[in-house]
Amino acid sequence: AQSVSQHNHHVILSEAASLELGCNYSYGGTVNLFWYVQYPGQHLQLLLKYFSGDPLVKGITGFEAVFIKSKFSFNLRKPSVQWSDTAEYFCAVNSGYSTLTFGKGTMLLVSP
Amino acid sequence: DVKVTQSSRYLVKRTGEKVFLECVQDMDHENMFWYRQDPGLGLRLIYFSYDVKMKEKGDIPEGYSVSREKKERFSLILESASTNQTSMYLCASSFRVWEGARRTDTQYFGPGTRLTVL
């Protein structure tokens, strides 16, 4: 069975700091990779996704993620966070035919 | 824009009650899903459906059942609610998308129902 590991459960940053959230998965074959975000009181939204091609994927609001196949990783990055990025971030993986497997989430708190 | 709606944002029920959670999507998606979200555990799949009247168990189906009589509607049923079913319940839907021989579906989520069982 697939598993997804998110390295940090809680991250606290000051505004303008750089962000990198780690995500590793266990499946060795072809995968589809997703980052979802849940802002306080809002529903889960797709931030970005990777199916194939350029391993650097750009998403909404300045986020990007890089797929490193050899490391089974799909880390989320943002060069300069804002207070409005305070949210919970979920990495998710599937192998095409299968259902999504989610990580446990990382709560990001950005202090102004 | 994809619209996935859930019947209630907040629900309070008593132990032993039968509970229905409803989900409706307006994009003619084939696939629909029910998850529960708990702090520190992420999202866990309860049941999913890839067509009308079809259902498949997810990772934690015990204590739950589902119904899909129409393509746009997917219901989650707690036959006899228990306190350990207190949780946030999320519904999602997706198209079946093929890129060559590969599936590349993207799931879209509803706002969630926060269920409290007393």
Side-chain angles (χ1 to χ4, degrees), chain A residues 31-32 36 38 49 51 96 104, chain B residues 37 40 102-103 106-107 110:
Chain A
V31 291
N32 300 324
Y36 284 87
Q38 190 171 36
K49 59 187 177 183
F51 295 142
K104 289 181 167 49
Chain B
Q37 181 182 8
R102 183 178 172 179
R103 286 274 295 275
T106 299
Q107 291 184 26

Side-chain angles (χ1 to χ4, degrees), chain A:
Chain A
Q2 296 172 6
S3 66
V4 178
S5 174
Q6 291 185 237
H7 304 163
N8 306 98
H9 294 300
H10 293 91
V11 173
I12 301 173
L13 295 173
S14 300
E15 274 194 315
S18 65
L19 170 71
E20 181 157 359
L21 300 183
C23 173
N24 287 90
Y25 61 92
S26 64
Y27 185 71
T30 301
V31 291
N32 300 324
L33 298 152
F34 305 81
W35 277 98
Y36 284 87
V37 60
Q38 190 171 36
Y39 297 105
Q42 296 191 26
H43 66 278
L44 206 62
Q45 302 172 43
L46 181 68
L47 193 55
L48 47 79
K49 59 187 177 183
Y50 173 81
F51 295 142
S52 63
D54 189 344
L56 180 63
V57 183
K58 294 196 183 295
I60 58 174
T61 61
F63 283 91
E64 63 183 28
V66 59
F67 171 50
I68 303 179
K69 189 174 181 180
S70 61
K71 294 186 176 181
F72 301 91
S73 71
F74 190 54
N75 291 356
L76 182 69
R77 306 190 305 209
K78 187 171 185 179
S80 176
V81 295
Q82 300 172 316
W83 176 79
S84 58
D85 294 324
T86 293
E88 191 161 19
Y89 294 81
F90 293 93
C91 181
V93 176
N94 72 9
S95 57
Y97 285 92
S98 71
T99 54
L100 274 179
T101 300
F102 282 84
K104 289 181 167 49
T106 298
M107 183 71 73
L108 171 65
L109 176 62
V110 180
S111 58

Side-chain angles (χ1 to χ4, degrees), chain B residues 17-70:
Chain B
E17 280 192 80
K18 190 168 186 175
V19 181
F20 293 87
L21 303 182
E22 303 285 338
C23 175
V24 177
Q25 49 91 8
D26 67 353
M27 285 301 292
D28 204 35
H29 285 174
E30 298 96 342
N31 308 315
M32 295 189 75
F33 307 83
W34 275 106
Y35 295 87
R36 63 178 283 174
Q37 181 182 8
D38 300 288
L41 297 179
L43 277 73
R44 293 178 291 167
L45 182 64
I46 304 171
Y47 268 96
F48 63 101
S49 168
Y50 52 85
D51 205 346
V52 176
K53 297 193 184 295
M54 306 302 288
K55 61 184 179 184
E56 295 284 344
K57 292 180 180 179
D59 299 318
I60 52 164
E62 296 79 17
Y64 303 95
S65 62
V66 289
S67 171
R68 194 165 180 204
E69 296 297 318
K70 294 185 178 182

